[in-house]
């Protein structure tokens, strides 16, 4: 009896030891592959066909093939995609850094167009994809999918892959395109996730007008509440750091508070069933406008590079992870008997993605051009085509939402659900590789002289005359220079952003910055070279003017 019990204990300990060793091997493999992705991506940086996302995806795919060959094609559980890992640990640093590093002047100058593309456009794309799958999937007989599944598919494939897209656009060469695609990508991801959560929270078996109104109200509530929560946490972090002067005692504490408060905004949003993506994005914008100016010079350098590094590693990890998980044998085993169905579903989804994006890019660009009274700021047809093409790539957000809808703990037991997951993997691989490879050549073909185009000239010239909403420009702002007060309602509607910027800056200088800090309202902290130079700037200017007079 005792011997058998001891044998069971030793067997359990051996199993645990084997499991721990497998985890260590897996961790070593991922770290080595991450290093390989960074090195190879650097070597291929100037290649016109490749970018770091495609490089990581292909390395992950090749690694998955090697692992399956070594294991005899029997098991791939080590490579199971975890949506919790993606949403809780990998996505927050990417989205926060996007908000923290955003060029606010460009972003908010094109804010109306970005919201048209990111919010309204995502709803249009979701509707087109959902209607398409409802019509065609019934003819394909792929499994028992309900209305909620069809609507969820629309939200899943309406989510663009902004990470891969931005790697093929240059902010200096194509400032307008970069601003529009970047802003749309972040708002699109947030809208897709909010829409997906709203779909999951409603019983759509008996849909009627009342349920539709509740659905719209739920969507608007999630969108607005998530935004306000992100701004609130950013303001709280700015107030705490401004009042307690962490940098006077410890730069580590100052940076730790910023990093933890940023992650807290995301966790709070998930706790209250809001959109963590939207919350952490606007938290990043608030922190870059207020909190970052309240810290010492060393903390500024540390935060800027640390957030950028975390985002870069998370992006590379995601594409490597997706590439390796694309060869999940268990999931593909459910569709081996009818591969033609899986190919047909994947082809249909790619066609619907292209149609859904075209359904809003060109019409909404036309509306944006009508609203823009300046011809130099219009979106040309060639730019519209690049915006349409660059947003066709689907990535980790689509995969994570697909696993959340059609699997339980990374496993799928129904044939219809397995077809949807394998089709999602196929669409992600095809769109990232094919559309991603063709984006750079298309930009060079359609916009060969974009660096010297009127758009860039307009962007640089208009920055002399307009101030940015939440901008990081000089604090001194003169109402009489650059922006003329509108004399009629028609003039106000013709240039609404100028008026909004001007009134926001007056409100920001009068009420927000004195309380929460920011450029021009930073307390003097001994030991910081930047703060000391800014503190002594008036004296230096006075002495300099005295010398000139002499």
């Amino acid at each position: 009896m005792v011997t058998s019990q001891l044998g069971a204990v030793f067997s359990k300990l051996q199993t645990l030891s084997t499991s721990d060793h497998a985890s260590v091997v897996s961790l070593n493999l991922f770290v080595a592959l991450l290093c390989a992705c960074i090195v190879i991506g650097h070597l291929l940086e100037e290649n016109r066909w490749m970018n770091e996302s495609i490089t990581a995806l292909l390395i992950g795919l090749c690694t998955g093939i090697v692992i399956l060959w070594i294991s005899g094609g029997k098991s791939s559980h080590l490579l199971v995609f975890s949506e919790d890992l993606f949403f809780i640990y990998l996505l927050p640093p990417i989205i926060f850094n996007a908000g923290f590093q955003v060029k606010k002047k460009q972003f908010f100058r094109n804010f109306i167009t970005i919201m048209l593309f990111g919010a309204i456009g995502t709803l249009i794309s979701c509707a087109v994809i959902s209607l398409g799958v409802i019509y065609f999937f019934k003819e394909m007989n792929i499994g028992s999918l309900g209305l909620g599944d069809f609507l969820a598919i629309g939200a899943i494939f309406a989510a663009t892959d902004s990470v891969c897209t931005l790697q093929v656009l240059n902010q200096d060469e194509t400032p307008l395109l970069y601003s529009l695609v970047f802003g749309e990508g972040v708002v699109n991801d947030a809208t897709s996730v909010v829409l997906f959560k709203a779909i999951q929270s409603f019983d759509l078996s008996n849909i009627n007008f009342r349920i539709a109104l509740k659905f719209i109200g739920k969507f608007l509530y999630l969108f607005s509440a998530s935004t306000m929560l992100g701004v609130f946490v950013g303001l709280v972090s700015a107030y705490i750091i401004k009042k307690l002067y962490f940098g006077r005692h410890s730069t580590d504490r100052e940076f730790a508070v910023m990093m933890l408060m940023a992650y807290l905004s995301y966790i709070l949003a998930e706790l209250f069933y809001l959109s963590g993506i939207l919350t952490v994005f606007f938290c990043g914008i608030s922190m870059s406008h207020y909190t970052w100016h309240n810290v010492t010079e060393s903390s500024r350098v540390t935060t800027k590079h640390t957030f950028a590094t975390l985002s870069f590693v998370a992006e590379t990890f995601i594409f490597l992870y997706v590439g390796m998980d694309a060869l999940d044998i268990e999931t593909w085993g459910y569709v081996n008997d009818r591969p033609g169905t899986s190919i047909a579903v994947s082809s249909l989804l790619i066609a619907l993605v292209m149609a859904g994006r075209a359904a809003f890019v060109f019409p909404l660009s036309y509306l944006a051009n009508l609203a823009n009274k300046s011809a130099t700021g219009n979106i040309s047809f060639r730019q519209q085509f690049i915006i349409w093409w660059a947003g066709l790539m689907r990535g980790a957000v689509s995969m994570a939402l697909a696993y959340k809808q059609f699997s339980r703990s990374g496993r799928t037991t129904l044939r219809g659900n397995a077809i949807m997951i394998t089709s999602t993997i196929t669409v992600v691989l095809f769109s990232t590789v094919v559309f991603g490879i063709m984006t750079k050549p298309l930009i060079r073909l359609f916009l060969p002289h974009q660096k010297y185009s009127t758009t860039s000239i307009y962007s640089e010239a208009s920055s002399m005359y307009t101030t940015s909403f939440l901008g990081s420009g000089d604090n001194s702002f003169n109402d009489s220079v650059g922006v003329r007060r509108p004399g009629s309602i028609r003039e106000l509607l013709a240039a609404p952003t100028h008026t909004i910027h001007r009134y926001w800056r007056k409100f920001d200088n009068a009420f927000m910055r004195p309380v929460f800090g920011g450029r021009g309202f930073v307390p003097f902290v001994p030991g910081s070279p930047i703060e000391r130079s800014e503190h002594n700037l008036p004296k230096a200017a006075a002495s300099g003017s005295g010398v000139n007079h002499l």
Side-chain angles (χ1 to χ4, degrees):
M1 182 70 177
V2 176
T3 305
S4 61
Q5 289 179 347
L6 287 175
V9 170
F10 283 127
S11 177
K12 188 174 182 180
L13 289 175
Q14 187 177 5
T15 303
L16 290 174
S17 177
T18 304
S19 176
D20 292 340
H21 180 71
S23 299
V24 173
V25 171
S26 176
L27 184 61
N28 275 274
L29 176 65
F30 269 107
V31 172
L33 289 174
L34 283 173
C35 295
C37 290
I38 294 172
V39 173
I40 297 176
H42 172 72
L43 296 176
L44 298 176
E45 186 176 8
E46 301 299 328
N47 189 286
R48 63 181 298 181
W49 301 102
M50 298 293 290
N51 60 67
E52 290 174 338
S53 299
I54 298 176
T55 302
L57 194 66
L58 294 179
I59 290 177
L61 196 62
C62 295
T63 304
I65 294 174
V66 172
I67 293 177
L68 287 175
W69 177 69
I70 293 175
S71 64
K74 296 180 180 179
S75 176
S76 60
H77 291 303
L78 184 65
L79 312 176
V80 173
F81 189 90
S82 172
E83 63 272 17
D84 292 333
L85 172 67
F86 172 74
F87 278 111
I88 296 176
Y89 300 109
L90 297 179
L91 191 59
I94 297 175
I95 302 299
F96 176 81
N97 185 67
F100 193 76
Q101 305 283 356
V102 65
K103 301 294 183 182
K104 294 179 285 295
K105 187 172 293 185
Q106 279 286 343
F107 180 83
F108 286 101
R109 179 181 297 150
N110 304 302
F111 185 74
I112 296 176
T113 307
I114 287 172
M115 292 305 295
L116 278 176
F117 285 168
I120 307 300
T122 303
L123 295 176
I124 295 174
S125 179
C126 177
V128 171
I129 296 172
S130 297
L131 291 175
V133 296
I134 289 173
Y135 180 79
F136 289 104
F137 277 15
K138 291 181 180 180
E139 305 295 329
M140 294 182 178
N141 189 24
I142 65 171
S144 56
L145 299 178
L147 179 61
D149 293 321
F150 293 138
L151 295 177
I153 291 172
I156 289 168
F157 289 98
T160 62
D161 182 15
S162 57
V163 174
C164 188
T165 302
L166 293 179
Q167 289 185 358
V168 297
L169 292 176
N170 189 297
Q171 188 166 2
D172 297 325
E173 295 180 1
T174 56
L176 178 61
L177 280 180
Y178 188 94
S179 175
L180 292 178
V181 174
F182 166 78
E184 182 218 340
V186 176
V187 177
N188 168 278
D189 286 346
T191 305
S192 300
V193 175
V194 169
L195 193 59
F196 182 83
K197 288 186 175 182
I199 291 171
Q200 282 194 321
S201 63
F202 275 90
D203 181 13
L204 301 174
S205 56
N206 294 318
I207 189 169
N208 52 43
F209 182 72
R210 192 172 184 178
I211 293 179
L213 286 179
K214 287 185 177 180
F215 177 80
I216 295 173
K218 179 77 171 179
F219 174 80
L220 294 176
Y221 161 74
L222 288 174
F223 206 91
S224 58
S226 302
T227 301
M228 289 188 291
L229 178 61
V231 174
F232 174 76
V233 176
L235 293 177
V236 170
S237 69
Y239 185 81
I240 290 175
I241 290 179
K242 179 175 180 289
K243 290 297 181 182
L244 297 183
Y245 301 123
F246 280 96
R248 180 180 296 175
H249 306 285
S250 172
T251 300
D252 297 337
R253 294 176 188 170
E254 201 168 45
F255 169 66
V257 169
M258 285 190 68
M259 185 171 63
L260 293 176
M261 290 290 285
Y263 192 67
L264 179 64
S265 68
Y266 187 88
I267 298 300
L268 282 175
E270 296 298 318
L271 178 65
F272 295 121
Y273 302 101
L274 301 175
S275 171
I277 295 178
L278 205 60
T279 298
V280 78
F281 176 70
F282 279 96
C283 179
I285 291 180
S286 301
M287 280 192 172
S288 68
H289 185 62
Y290 296 108
T291 313
W292 192 73
H293 294 285
N294 295 342
V295 301
T296 58
E297 180 192 10
S298 56
S299 294
R300 293 181 193 180
V301 176
T302 302
T303 52
K304 181 178 180 180
H305 291 288
T306 301
F307 290 142
T309 302
L310 290 175
S311 174
F312 173 72
V313 173
E315 291 170 8
T316 308
F317 188 93
I318 286 174
F319 283 100
L320 185 64
Y321 205 63
V322 170
M324 296 178 71
D325 189 68
L327 300 172
D328 186 7
I329 289 298
E330 275 195 8
T331 305
W332 286 100
Y334 286 96
V335 298
N336 279 343
D337 55 336
R338 295 177 64 184
T341 302
S342 180
I343 295 174
V345 170
S346 302
S347 303
L348 173 64
L349 288 173
I350 292 174
L352 289 174
V353 165
M354 299 176 73
R357 185 155 183 84
F360 77 84
V361 168
F362 300 105
L364 294 183
S365 297
Y366 177 75
L367 293 177
N369 289 340
L370 286 180
N372 187 9
K373 301 301 181 181
S374 174
T376 55
N378 286 346
I379 308 173
S380 66
F381 179 77
R382 291 188 173 189
Q383 291 174 328
Q384 293 175 31
F385 180 83
I386 296 298
I387 292 173
W388 169 74
W389 182 272
L392 292 176
M393 286 174 275
R394 297 297 178 264
V397 174
S398 296
M399 281 199 64
L401 294 179
Y403 272 97
K404 204 162 191 174
Q405 178 70 21
F406 299 109
S407 71
R408 297 293 179 271
S409 301
R411 295 177 180 273
T412 305
T413 56
L414 299 178
R415 181 176 172 275
N417 292 352
I419 289 177
M420 288 312 307
I421 290 179
T422 55
S423 300
T424 304
I425 293 172
T426 304
V427 171
V428 168
L429 291 176
F430 180 85
S431 63
T432 302
V433 175
V434 177
F435 296 149
I437 285 177
M438 292 299 297
T439 301
K440 278 186 179 181
L442 283 174
I443 291 176
R444 295 182 181 181
L445 176 64
F446 280 82
L447 306 171
H449 304 295
Q450 181 66 27
K451 189 172 184 179
Y452 307 102
S453 67
T454 56
T455 302
S456 299
I457 299 173
Y458 165 75
S459 300
E460 294 174 3
S462 61
S463 65
M464 298 168 60
Y465 299 104
T466 59
T467 56
S468 60
F469 178 64
L470 287 179
S472 59
D474 190 1
N475 181 57
S476 59
F477 177 74
N478 191 351
D479 288 336
S480 62
V481 177
V483 180
R484 184 173 63 87
R485 184 181 299 275
S488 63
I489 296 179
R490 186 173 184 178
E491 290 186 32
L492 173 64
L493 295 177
T497 54
H498 293 183
T499 307
I500 293 173
H501 294 167
R502 181 161 55 86
Y503 282 117
W504 162 255
R505 177 55 63 91
K506 294 175 68 174
F507 173 78
D508 192 28
N509 289 344
F511 299 102
M512 300 296 289
R513 292 189 182 187
V515 177
F516 300 105
R519 182 186 292 271
F521 291 86
V522 181
F524 172 65
V525 178
S528 172
I530 286 183
E531 305 299 347
R532 192 184 305 117
S533 63
E534 291 180 356
H535 185 71
N536 295 328
L537 186 60
K539 295 181 180 179
S543 61
S545 61
V547 171
N548 292 334
H549 284 298
L550 290 175

